[in-house]
Amino acid sequence: MKIGIVGCAGRMGRMLMAEVIARPDAELAGGAERSGHEAVGQDLGVLAGLDSLGISAGDDVQALFAAADAVIDFTAPAATAENARIAADQATAFIVGTTGLDDAQQAAIVQASEKTAIVQAANMSLGVNVLLGLTRQVSATLGDDYDIEIVEMHHRHKVDAPSGTALALGRAAAEGRGVALDDVAQKVRDGHTGERVPGDIGFATLRGGDVVGDHTVVFSGPGERIELTHRAASRVLFARGAVTAALWAEGRAPGHYSMADVLDLS
Ligand code: NAD
């Protein structure tokens, strides 16, 4: 199966290419970057930290989709929304790892999934997808007497906050309570905030160093506290999950799928 990588010179893009190259059941169809990016023209194998492959990074995303059975996208929200339209036009399976999409960009992904199989997950690791299920379950079991707070920490280069994974954990907690996250999310606290509003789901964002991704869901109740924590030690986890999703998506009916579908956790 031929897999293409958009954003091939990014932190995740390089890992994704190394993972595709390492898999016996996958072949690297190519890699694309923004026009004018210094990686355009460089060898994809070298960008992935491996031996030269004899294939150069390009800047023609349309051509990449035409050459691939599935394309993996860990880039930036505007690019991902545009690439979803290309995936729909060419009926190419599309794997979305990019986070921080606004409502219109998210709607573009959902609309494209009417024409092709799209797997979208803010976090492609098995552990976080298990944590999502646990969070939903604990939230449903404990009820409103337990205040829910989600704490996340990422490396200093991350550009969106709270992380897509923190928001997904918030949605899972809200689902457990039968409410919409948008109605109860408390993403920023500053100054004289007053007391905590019962039923709120709070977020705290830490940034620094080279932390790959830590998430804790805190359930704080009368006289006790439960903390569910996931710590990612390497981006390889996410790359492996994304390539597994691409292999799973090929030939699938059009639809908007999650990692829970890929990992059969639903
Ligand atoms: P990065 O900045 O290192 O890489 C992004 C790459 O995309 C860059 O090389 C950039 O030049 C490229 N790019 C931007 N616009 C493009 C376009 N129009 N065409 C082609 N290439 C383009 O960032 P990163 O750390 O690799 O993260 C990328 C995204 O993936 C972020 O949104 C991050 O939150 C998300 N992420 C998701 C998971 C997951 O498991 N779902 C894991 C890690 C990171």
Side-chain angles (χ1 to χ4, degrees):
M1 175 179 174
K2 291 184 181 167
I3 300 178
I5 309 294
V6 224
C8 63
R11 279 177 289 269
M12 281 304 303
R14 291 166 194 256
M15 283 269 167
L16 286 159
M17 291 197 296
E19 184 62 23
V20 172
I21 292 165
R23 290 255 187 144
D25 43 357
E27 188 188 329
L28 189 61
E33 257 298 337
R34 280 184 285 114
S35 300
H37 193 287
E38 60 182 13
V40 174
Q42 288 183 31
D43 187 274
L44 295 181
V46 173
L47 283 172
L50 304 168
D51 291 343
S52 168
L53 260 189
I55 313 173
S56 304
D59 58 5
D60 184 345
V61 178
Q62 296 266 5
L64 179 69
F65 273 85
D69 300 311
V71 169
I72 304 178
D73 184 325
F74 284 62
T75 57
T80 300
E82 179 54 31
N83 293 341
R85 289 186 194 101
I86 301 173
D89 286 349
Q90 302 203 15
T92 307
F94 190 48
I95 314 304
V96 176
T98 308
T99 60
L101 280 70
D102 65 22
D103 290 348
Q105 289 158 342
Q106 182 59 32
I109 306 286
V110 174
Q111 193 184 347
S113 72
E114 289 170 13
K115 299 264 174 56
T116 193
I118 298 187
V119 179
Q120 183 180 18
N123 195 304
M124 302 271 176
S125 81
L126 172 62
V128 157
N129 285 281
V130 169
L131 180 62
L132 286 168
L134 289 173
T135 299
R136 198 175 293 114
Q137 189 187 334
V138 175
S139 166
T141 305
L142 292 178
D144 280 4
D145 226 15
Y146 285 72
D147 298 325
I148 302 176
E149 297 280 311
I150 297 166
V151 186
E152 58 108 334
M153 179 158 189
H154 281 84
H155 54 90
R156 61 169 68 121
H157 301 292
K158 185 161 179 65
V159 294
D160 53 316
S163 72
T165 302
L167 292 170
L169 289 164
R171 276 192 295 277
E175 271 168 38
R177 286 185 168 174
V179 297
L181 179 63
D182 283 349
D183 295 339
V184 294
Q186 187 57 256
K187 293 183 185 155
V188 180
R189 293 190 182 105
D190 186 28
H192 186 81
T193 60
E195 287 190 7
R196 192 181 196 286
V197 176
D200 269 5
I201 294 178
F203 292 84
T205 300
L206 284 69
R207 292 285 175 266
D210 57 1
V211 176
V212 174
D214 293 353
H215 294 88
T216 296
V217 185
V218 182
F219 297 87
S220 194
E224 63 179 358
R225 191 162 79 237
I226 298 173
E227 297 183 359
L228 303 177
T229 295
H230 178 271
R231 295 187 206 284
S234 162
R235 289 188 178 84
V236 168
L237 279 180
F238 311 133
R240 219 164 263 162
V243 175
T244 300
L247 293 166
W248 178 91
E250 198 212 0
R252 242 346 100 188
H256 188 223
Y257 301 102
S258 70
M259 275 313 273
D261 298 315
V262 174
L263 299 169
D264 207 12
L265 298 173
S266 339

